[in-house]
């Protein structure tokens, strides 16, 4: 309410009435209620409101108010939720003729009591006019409640205000959203602040009021499960804060937290903050979901888009039929659904389940949905997350490979991971995947350097690490280490030591091999080693480098630790990383790398491989005799023999292909696989001469069907033959398909890295390393670039780790010799250009 009581009809102010016992009685009753050991929380707020109603009604009667006037409670008082030190938001409503002395006879006893009064004197028409010009005034009137006088006058005003609100919702709701954004910029996010404002920060009580206002518009409503409890928890903490400080404040200052916790019966200040953070996250998530729904409805009304025909994403619990007048009416057009991944489609800017998805039979579906959404810059619809939480079975232990890959893909999306992660967390899916997460969830960090709670810091570190995946050979280990490096916090002892055994168990459960488990354990145990040693020890002392060498043990782990150190510091806050710190860490890293290179030289030659299997030899012989491709396509272990995946997810397979050696083989074969919508997860290439008739290239692929089932092997073989003899233009077909159904742009990713390895990497070939974001046709483009450069691919090792491709190609010139340094640089430039 505004405090302007000037009115052309009120005339000059009357003399102030003498203060008397009228104010003392209500004040004493209020004090007794606040001091009573009995009801607290909602009951006390309702009691304060009822006590104030009775008092104002008595004052109204004593003031001799005529017919055609009414006292109306608005704002928090109108909602019957008076906090101990809340203002009284009151409107004196009249029909147009008013005794000028009446307002003073009402207001002065209130002031004499010491209560803070926010008041106005208006006719219904004036009240509506002010509301039309002032959004905050209109929000207050949405909660108008009759206190005394003419109830019909109050009812008429309330009906008119609600009608105005609904009629102007298309204009008012964007204004309301902007108010929320401005508050968030000024006051921050309640879920992460050490001294949060319970009312004004994002996820606070103001946002609860805004959600109620959206519901009153009949355009959309918030997901209500847990929202009322979250709002009550925040209100209870604010009440206790008022009583502890004796002031109408919403800022939960550090010096007050212990007393507030004690008053609420909470063990300590940390437990209090966790309760506040959990409630705030519920409110913030409900706000995000609701405003997305509002955007869809308004876009549909303006002709810029459609809202879903189904409305399950936002279960409406308000007046019957209200949602139908908003979202439903706007959604009569056809709904466009664009495939994202097996069982996942995009609809109205959100990831939702495909109609044929089977959550109960596909435990990887939550991670696949999340990864697909994040990689395309979307979030997951509220209804979808709830269905996944309700129907999906827990992942088997160890996790299927796809589950681990999808988690890494989700983390690798960078900033786009955050809203998806929040959606999964809101429905308990994160703690279901990682039970250890419960210990760090909403855990405050009482350190001025840290910006976030422990759990959000871990996710933020993964976001930062996603920008560094091109620096390391194992981006999957970097991202998982970033997510888990502080998992030991909240437990006794040093959190790095406590986290090491935890991460061993988590990594084994995720299905990492023993060497990777050990690497993750080392990274978590020593995630502070580089920065602590660099800033606290003498860099010229040999013992300094020896300590780091002993901790990391190998150059690949050092590479990972350097990236993790920077990601951790950047996610901590601006004070944790600087050019000075970076220079110290880089210097220590370089000395350690040199020491490790001296002790552990890179072995000459490429990675040793086992001899060919009987099946590989059979295919090689067949290819050598027929002069054409010979292949074997088999579903991987765990797939459904009927053709579908064992858990309802994308079908994985092992493809063996033998082809007489010829130029362009790698790029052509990869293109045919892309045409058949087979995603390459790993690949290897080697040369055999099974019958002495010339070399045969043996390609071993691990692939997954992007959508649906595996292609028919006979059709795949026929397309390979056509591509190899030139009758199938693979590049043109891929371009036509992409033009007919362009893919969503997706999220920003680090640029590809194409580098020539040092000569010591192989004595017989030049090793070209490629690190890039995985995408359909990636290997096809690399292969075409190598073919165009006129080099021969003797061996290749291709890996897809989450959303990152980490490939190594062993190249020679046509005579079988390693490339010259200049030629290798030209080939690298050609591949770089092909990747854009």
């Amino acid at each position: 309410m505004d405090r302007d009581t000037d009115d052309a009809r009120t005339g000059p102010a009357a003399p102030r009435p003498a203060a008397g016992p009228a104010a003392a009685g209500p004040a004493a009753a209020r004090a007794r209620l606040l001091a009573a050991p009995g009801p607290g929380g909602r009951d006390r707020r309702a009691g304060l409101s009822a006590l104030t109603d009775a008092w104002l009604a008595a004052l109204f009667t004593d003031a001799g108010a005529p017919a055609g006037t009414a006292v109306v409670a608005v704002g928090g008082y109108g909602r019957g939720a008076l906090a101990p030190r809340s203002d009284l938001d009151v409107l004196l409503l009249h029909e147009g003729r008013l005794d000028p002395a009446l307002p003073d006879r009402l207001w002065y006893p209130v002031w004499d009591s010491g209560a803070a009064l926010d008041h106005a004197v208006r006719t219904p028409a004036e009240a509506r006019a002010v509301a039309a010009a002032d959004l905050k005034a209109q929000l207050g009137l949405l909660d108008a409640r009759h206190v005394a006088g003419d109830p019909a006058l109050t009812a008429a005003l309330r009906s008119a205000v609600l009608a105005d609100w609904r009629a102007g919702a298309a204009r008012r709701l964007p204004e309301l959203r902007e108010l929320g954004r401005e508050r968030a910029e000024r006051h921050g996010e309640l879920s992460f602040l050490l001294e949060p404002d319970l009312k004004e920060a994002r996820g606070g009580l103001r946002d609860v009021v805004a959600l109620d206002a959206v519901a009153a518009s009949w355009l959309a409503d918030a997901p209500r499960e847990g929202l009322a409890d979250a709002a009550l928890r925040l209100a209870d903490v604010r009440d206790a804060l008022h009583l502890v400080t004796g002031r109408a404040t919403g800022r939960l200052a550090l010096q007050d937290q212990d007393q507030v916790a004690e008053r609420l019966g909470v063990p300590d200040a940390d437990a209090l903050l966790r309760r506040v953070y959990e409630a705030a996250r519920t409110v913030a998530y409900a706000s995000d979901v609701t405003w997305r729904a509002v955007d869809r409805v308004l876009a549909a009304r303006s002709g810029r888009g459609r809202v879903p025909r189904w409305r399950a994403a936002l279960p409406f619990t308000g007046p019957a039929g209200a949602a139908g007048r908003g979202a439903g009416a706007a959604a009569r057009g056809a709904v466009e659904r664009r495939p994202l991944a097996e069982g996942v489609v995009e609809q109205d800017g959100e990831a939702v389940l495909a109609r044929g998805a089977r959550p109960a039979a596909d435990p990887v579906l939550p991670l696949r949905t999340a990864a697909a959404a994040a990689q395309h810059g979307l979030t997951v619809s509220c209804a979808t997350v709830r269905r996944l939480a309700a129907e999906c079975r827990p992942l088997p232990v160890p996790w299927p490979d796809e589950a681990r890959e999808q988690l890494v893909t989700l983390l690798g999306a960078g900033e786009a991971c955050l809203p998806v992660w929040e959606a999964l967390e809101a429905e308990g899916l994160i703690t279901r995947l990682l039970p250890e997460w419960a210990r760090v969830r909403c855990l405050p960090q009482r350190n001025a350097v840290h910006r976030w709670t422990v759990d959000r810091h871990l996710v933020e570190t993964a976001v930062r690490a996603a920008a560094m995946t091109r620096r390391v050979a194992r981006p999957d280990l970097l991202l998982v280490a970033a997510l888990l490096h502080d998992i030991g916090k909240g437990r006794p002892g040093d959190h790095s030591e406590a986290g090491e055994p935890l991460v061993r168990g988590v990594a084994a459960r995720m299905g990492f091999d023993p060497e990777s488990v050990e690497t993750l354990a080392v990274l978590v145990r020593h995630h502070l080693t580089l920065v602590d040693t660099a800033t606290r020890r003498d860099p010229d002392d040999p013992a300094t480098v020896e300590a780091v060498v002993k901790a990391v043990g190998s150059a690949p782990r050092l590479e990972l630790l350097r990236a993790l150190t920077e990601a951790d510091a950047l996610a901590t806050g601006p004070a944790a990383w600087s050019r000075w710190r970076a220079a110290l860490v880089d210097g220590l890293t370089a000395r350690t790398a040199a020491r490790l290179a001296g002790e552990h030289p890179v072995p000459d030659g490429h990675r040793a491989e086992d001899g060919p299997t009987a099946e590989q030899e059979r295919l090689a012989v067949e290819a050598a005799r027929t002069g054409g491709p010979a292949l074997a396509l088999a579903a991987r272990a765990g797939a459904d023999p009927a053709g579908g995946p064992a858990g309802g997810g994308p079908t994985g397979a092992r493809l063996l292909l033998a082809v007489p050696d010829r130029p362009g083989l790698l790029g052509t074969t990869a293109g045919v696989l892309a045409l058949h919508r087979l995603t390459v997860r790993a690949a290897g290439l080697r040369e055999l001469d099974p019958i002495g008739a010339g070399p045969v290239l043996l390609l071993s692929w691990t692939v997954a069907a992007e959508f649906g089932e595996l292609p028919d092997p006979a059709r795949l073989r026929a397309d390979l033959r056509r591509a190899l003899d030139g009758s199938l233009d693979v590049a043109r077909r891929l371009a036509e398909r992409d033009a007919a159904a362009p893919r969503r742009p997706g999220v920003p990713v680090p640029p590809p890295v194409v580098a020539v390895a040092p000569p010591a990497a192989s004595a017989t070939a030049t090793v070209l390393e490629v690190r890039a974001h995985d995408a359909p046709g990636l290997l096809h483009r690399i292969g075409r670039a190598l073919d165009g450069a006129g080099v021969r691919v003797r061996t290749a090792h291709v890996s897809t780790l989450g959303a990152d491709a980490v490939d190594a190609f062993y190249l020679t010139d046509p005579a079988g010799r390693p490339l010259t340094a200049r030629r290798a640089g030209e080939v690298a430039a050609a591949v770089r250009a092909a990747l854009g």
Side-chain angles (χ1 to χ4, degrees):
M1 290 293 291
D2 65 341
R3 300 180 187 276
D4 181 14
T5 58
D6 291 342
D7 192 296
R9 301 176 183 82
T10 63
R16 172 173 175 162
R30 178 186 179 90
R32 286 194 299 271
L33 179 59
L34 294 179
R42 177 166 47 188
D43 290 338
R44 180 171 53 209
R45 290 188 288 274
L48 284 173
S49 299
L51 182 65
T52 305
D53 287 354
W55 178 33
L56 290 180
L59 291 176
F60 184 80
T61 301
D62 293 345
T69 57
V71 175
V72 182
V74 298
Y77 178 30
R79 293 188 295 274
L82 274 181
R85 299 293 175 181
S86 287
D87 289 359
L88 302 182
D89 296 334
V90 182
L91 171 64
L92 178 58
L93 197 62
H94 63 95
E95 292 181 327
R97 299 181 62 83
L98 189 70
D99 177 1
L102 178 60
D104 289 334
R105 293 198 295 271
L106 278 173
W107 307 147
Y108 275 116
V110 178
W111 287 323
D112 288 339
S113 73
L117 179 65
D118 195 352
H119 59 89
V121 180
R122 295 193 177 104
T123 65
E126 290 167 343
R128 291 176 67 188
V130 170
D134 186 343
L135 177 58
K136 293 181 181 179
Q138 190 170 29
L139 291 175
L141 287 172
L142 290 177
D143 293 309
R145 180 175 58 82
H146 183 69
V147 174
D150 185 351
L153 194 62
T154 304
L157 174 65
R158 178 172 171 78
S159 296
V161 168
L162 284 170
D164 292 344
W165 176 247
R166 287 162 187 155
R171 174 176 61 89
R172 283 304 210 185
L173 289 181
E175 294 177 24
L176 179 59
R177 185 177 196 176
E178 188 57 32
L179 277 180
R181 285 175 173 162
E182 292 172 359
R183 279 201 320 274
E185 288 178 3
R186 288 195 307 271
H187 299 281
E189 194 151 1
L190 179 53
S191 299
F192 308 118
L193 297 170
L194 276 178
E195 292 188 314
D197 191 310
L198 301 167
K199 189 174 184 179
E200 303 292 346
R202 181 175 183 265
L205 292 167
R206 288 279 192 204
D207 282 345
V208 176
V209 174
L211 291 175
D212 289 340
V214 174
S217 74
W218 287 354
L219 291 189
D221 193 18
R224 289 285 161 180
E225 185 176 348
L227 183 58
D229 288 342
L232 287 175
R233 181 171 295 181
L234 292 176
D236 289 348
V237 176
R238 181 191 59 178
D239 286 3
L241 180 63
H242 281 195
L243 293 172
V244 164
T245 63
R247 294 181 290 110
T249 180
R251 184 168 175 267
L252 188 58
L254 290 173
Q255 66 267 21
D256 300 320
Q257 290 174 9
D258 286 321
Q259 289 178 273
V260 172
E262 182 180 0
R263 190 169 193 100
L264 291 171
V266 178
D268 55 35
D270 279 358
L272 171 68
L273 283 180
R274 292 189 82 166
R275 288 174 57 134
V276 169
Y277 294 162
E278 288 168 355
R281 289 190 188 184
T282 299
V283 175
Y285 176 65
S287 296
D288 291 342
V289 171
T290 302
W291 286 116
R292 287 199 300 271
V294 169
D295 286 345
R296 290 195 297 271
V297 175
L298 296 183
R301 286 189 169 187
S302 66
R304 291 183 287 108
R306 298 188 180 96
V307 297
R309 182 176 298 156
W310 49 268
R311 300 196 308 274
L314 295 170
F316 193 86
T317 57
R325 287 188 285 272
R332 296 190 179 114
V335 178
E336 181 181 356
R337 296 167 70 90
R338 185 195 301 266
L340 299 177
E342 180 65 20
V344 188
V345 299
E346 175 191 352
Q347 179 175 304
D348 292 299
E350 295 181 320
V352 303
L353 296 185
R355 293 186 178 93
R358 297 182 294 160
D362 189 358
V364 182
L365 188 56
L367 283 172
R368 190 184 317 120
T369 303
Q375 285 292 330
H376 289 85
L378 307 171
T379 190
V380 185
S381 83
C382 180
T384 294
V385 178
R386 288 187 169 174
R387 185 181 172 195
L388 291 171
E391 298 183 24
C392 282
R393 294 180 288 107
L395 284 168
V397 177
W399 290 8
D401 290 347
E402 190 208 349
R404 186 178 63 256
E405 292 163 0
Q406 297 293 358
L407 174 64
V408 172
T409 301
L410 168 62
L411 298 176
E415 292 281 351
C417 167
L418 291 173
V420 177
W421 189 274
E422 289 171 352
L424 298 183
E425 186 188 57
E427 298 301 327
L429 283 168
I430 297 300
T431 50
R432 184 186 300 182
L433 290 168
L434 301 170
E436 296 82 0
W437 197 261
R439 198 70 171 262
V440 298
R441 184 174 184 270
C442 294
L443 184 64
Q445 304 203 72
R446 295 188 177 275
N447 184 321
V449 175
H450 276 279
R451 297 178 56 191
W452 310 106
T453 55
V454 175
D455 61 330
R456 180 56 178 263
H457 168 71
L458 292 173
V459 182
E460 289 283 345
T461 304
V463 168
R464 298 288 188 166
M468 304 174 189
T469 52
R470 301 295 179 267
R471 302 186 192 177
V472 298
R474 288 294 301 273
D476 56 333
L477 296 185
L478 173 61
L479 292 169
V480 173
L483 183 69
L484 299 176
H485 72 277
D486 278 347
I487 200 70
K489 286 190 173 179
R491 300 171 187 270
D494 181 278
H495 75 278
S496 299
E497 296 178 1
E500 181 182 355
L502 290 175
V503 80
R504 287 184 188 276
V506 174
R509 195 166 68 238
M510 288 180 176
F512 281 105
D513 61 79
E515 183 178 350
S516 298
V517 171
E518 184 63 28
T519 295
L520 287 169
V522 168
L523 293 174
V524 170
R525 174 65 182 87
H526 293 287
H527 70 270
L528 297 175
T529 294
L530 277 182
V531 70
D532 284 352
T533 305
T535 56
R536 300 176 185 177
R537 297 290 183 269
D538 179 3
D540 295 322
D541 186 343
T544 301
V545 172
E546 286 299 324
V548 181
V549 168
K550 182 178 179 181
V552 298
S554 69
R557 287 178 184 169
L558 178 65
E559 176 185 71
L560 287 165
L561 188 61
R562 170 60 183 84
L564 176 60
T565 299
E566 182 176 346
D568 182 18
L570 291 173
T572 297
W577 193 247
S578 64
R579 281 182 292 182
W580 172 74
R581 283 177 179 262
L584 292 178
V585 169
D586 285 341
L588 177 60
T589 303
R591 290 183 179 91
T592 307
R595 181 75 173 83
L596 288 168
E599 285 197 354
H600 306 285
V602 178
D604 191 20
H606 62 81
R607 184 173 68 192
E609 296 183 277
D610 296 332
T613 65
E615 185 177 29
Q616 291 172 335
E617 286 190 345
R618 179 185 63 80
L619 292 172
V621 169
E622 180 182 343
R625 287 176 175 170
T626 62
L631 65 85
L633 180 65
R636 295 170 65 188
D640 188 336
T651 304
R654 181 174 60 90
L655 172 64
L656 292 177
L657 174 66
V659 186
D661 191 13
R662 67 186 71 186
L665 181 59
L666 178 64
T668 299
T669 305
V672 172
L673 297 182
L675 275 178
H676 284 263
R677 297 193 181 277
L678 290 173
T679 301
V680 178
R681 307 305 300 175
L685 182 152
R686 64 192 301 176
E687 185 179 285
L688 299 176
D689 188 358
I691 59 175
V696 170
L697 288 187
L698 182 68
L699 297 97
S700 176
W701 309 80
T702 300
V703 297
E706 187 176 1
F707 304 108
E709 299 179 356
L710 292 171
D712 176 54
R715 182 179 175 188
L716 182 61
R717 183 184 295 107
D719 282 348
L720 281 169
R721 286 183 179 277
R722 294 171 56 211
L724 292 171
D725 66 22
S727 60
L728 174 63
D729 189 336
V730 175
R732 183 177 61 83
R733 286 281 301 276
L734 286 172
E736 289 174 351
R737 189 181 72 183
D738 289 344
R743 291 175 176 266
R744 189 181 181 92
V747 297
V749 298
V753 172
V754 181
V756 179
S762 173
T764 57
T766 297
V767 181
L768 185 72
E769 296 178 339
V770 179
R771 300 174 184 176
H773 185 76
D774 189 35
L778 174 70
L779 191 56
H780 171 63
R781 296 198 300 276
I782 295 173
R784 289 192 68 192
L786 294 176
D787 296 339
V791 296
R792 183 166 173 265
V793 181
R794 193 193 71 192
T795 308
H797 301 287
V798 176
S799 299
T800 304
L801 304 171
D804 293 293
V806 181
D807 304 337
F809 302 91
Y810 287 74
L811 310 177
T812 67
D813 63 16
R817 297 184 299 265
L819 307 181
T820 65
R822 178 179 177 182
R823 185 73 182 110
E826 293 171 349
V827 173
V831 173
R832 206 174 290 119
L835 298 181

